[in-house]
Amino acid sequence: GQSLEQPSEVTAVEGAIVQINCTYQTSGFYGLSWYQQHDGGAPTFLSYNALDGLEETGRFSSFLSRSDSYGYLLLQELQMKDSASYFCAVLTDSNYQLIWGAGTKLIIKP
Amino acid sequence: DGGITQSPKYLFRKEGQNVTLSCEQNLNHDAMYWYRQDPGQGLRLIYYSQIVNDFQKGDIAEGYSVSREKKESFPLTVTSAQKNPTAFYLCASSPRESGRIHEQYFGPGTRLTVT
C-alpha cells in the first residue's frame, strides 16, 4: 500500500524554529509537496521538492532525501498566523495523483 | 481575479437524497479534482479529470459521480449510495504541464451534513 507518516501535532513558541517531518512509502515518486491549511479553510500550496536537497522560500524551507524516503518542512521565526495544519503529499506516477499525509497540527504559544 | 469557487459553503440534506456540489474555476487549468476530508484526517481523492469529457475514479469513488462537460466546471454528485456522506468536500485544479501538476489550487470547500 501507499502511506505517508507525519506527526499529528507539534507545539512551538513564537519566534522559534520548528521542523515537521514526513516519511513516505509509495509505489511511484515524482516529488514531495507541502500544503498549509488553517482551520475551516482550504489547503494552500507551500513548496515542492523533486530533487534531493533544501529549497528555501522566505521563512519556510523544505528538504527531501529520496534515498531515505524522507522530507521535512522547516518554519523559521514562527508567527502566530503560522498556527495551522501542514500536509505533506507525494506526487506519484499513477496518473499524477497526489497522495496525502494525515497532517500535522502546529500549535504556537506566545 | 482568478480562482476556484464552490457553492454552497454549507449544505444540509436528509438521508436518501442525492445532492450536487458545484465547482467552477477560471484559472484555465486542465486538471480538476474532488477530495473528501474528514476531521483530523488528510485529503482522500474521490474523482479527478485531466481533460474535458474524461474523468477517473480516485480511491473512494463509490457513492459519488461527476461530469466534466466544460473545462471550467466539475460538479460532484453525492448519491444516496454513499454510506457516510457527511464531510468537508474540496475541489481543486492544477495546470497539466509538466513541472506544475503538483501545484493544486483549492476552492473554499463545501461542508455537507446529512441527517
Side-chain angles (χ1 to χ4, degrees), chain A residues 35 37 42 48 95 97 100-101, chain B residues 37 42 45 48 50 102 104 107:
Chain A
Y35 284 77
Q37 184 181 31
Y48 177 72
N95 289 317
Q97 288 186 46
W100 295 74
Chain B
Q37 186 175 34
L45 184 64
Y48 64 102
Q50 295 185 348
H102 58 271
Q104 295 190 4

Side-chain angles (χ1 to χ4, degrees), chain A residues 61-91:
Chain A
S61 303
S62 56
F63 172 83
L64 174 66
S65 169
R66 294 176 70 122
S67 59
D68 295 323
S69 298
Y70 164 75
Y72 65 74
L73 180 70
L74 191 74
L75 294 81
Q76 302 182 70
E77 301 173 17
L78 285 172
Q79 302 174 11
M80 296 304 292
K81 68 177 182 179
D82 298 329
S83 296
S85 291
Y86 293 84
F87 294 86
C88 59
V90 166
L91 182 66

Side-chain angles (χ1 to χ4, degrees), chain B:
Chain B
D1 282 341
I4 301 179
T5 57
Q6 290 185 243
S7 60
K9 191 170 177 66
Y10 298 95
L11 191 53
F12 298 88
R13 280 292 184 270
K14 296 288 189 186
E15 202 172 302
Q17 293 178 334
N18 290 357
V19 59
T20 297
L21 311 185
S22 164
C23 177
E24 303 278 331
Q25 56 103 355
N26 61 3
L27 298 168
N28 199 32
H29 287 168
D30 286 304
M32 295 188 75
Y33 313 82
W34 272 106
Y35 291 98
R36 170 185 172 134
Q37 186 175 34
D38 293 286
Q41 296 190 32
L43 280 66
R44 291 186 290 166
L45 184 64
I46 304 173
Y47 268 97
Y48 64 102
S49 168
Q50 295 185 348
I51 200 165
V52 174
N53 291 323
D54 187 49
F55 48 83
Q56 286 81 40
K57 293 181 179 180
D59 298 324
I60 56 165
E62 186 176 347
Y64 300 99
S65 66
V66 293
S67 63
R68 185 84 188 277
E69 296 175 2
K70 298 186 300 182
K71 186 175 184 178
E72 302 78 19
S73 179
F74 191 40
L76 172 75
T77 297
V78 184
T79 75
S80 56
Q82 166 51 230
K83 292 189 181 1
N84 296 297
T86 295
F88 187 42
Y89 290 88
L90 287 157
C91 179
S93 70
S94 70
R96 272 193 75 210
E97 60 262 32
S98 63
R100 291 195 63 198
I101 197 154
H102 58 271
E103 206 173 310
Q104 295 190 4
Y105 295 80
F106 285 82
T110 292
R111 200 166 295 277
L112 173 66
T113 302
V114 177
T115 56

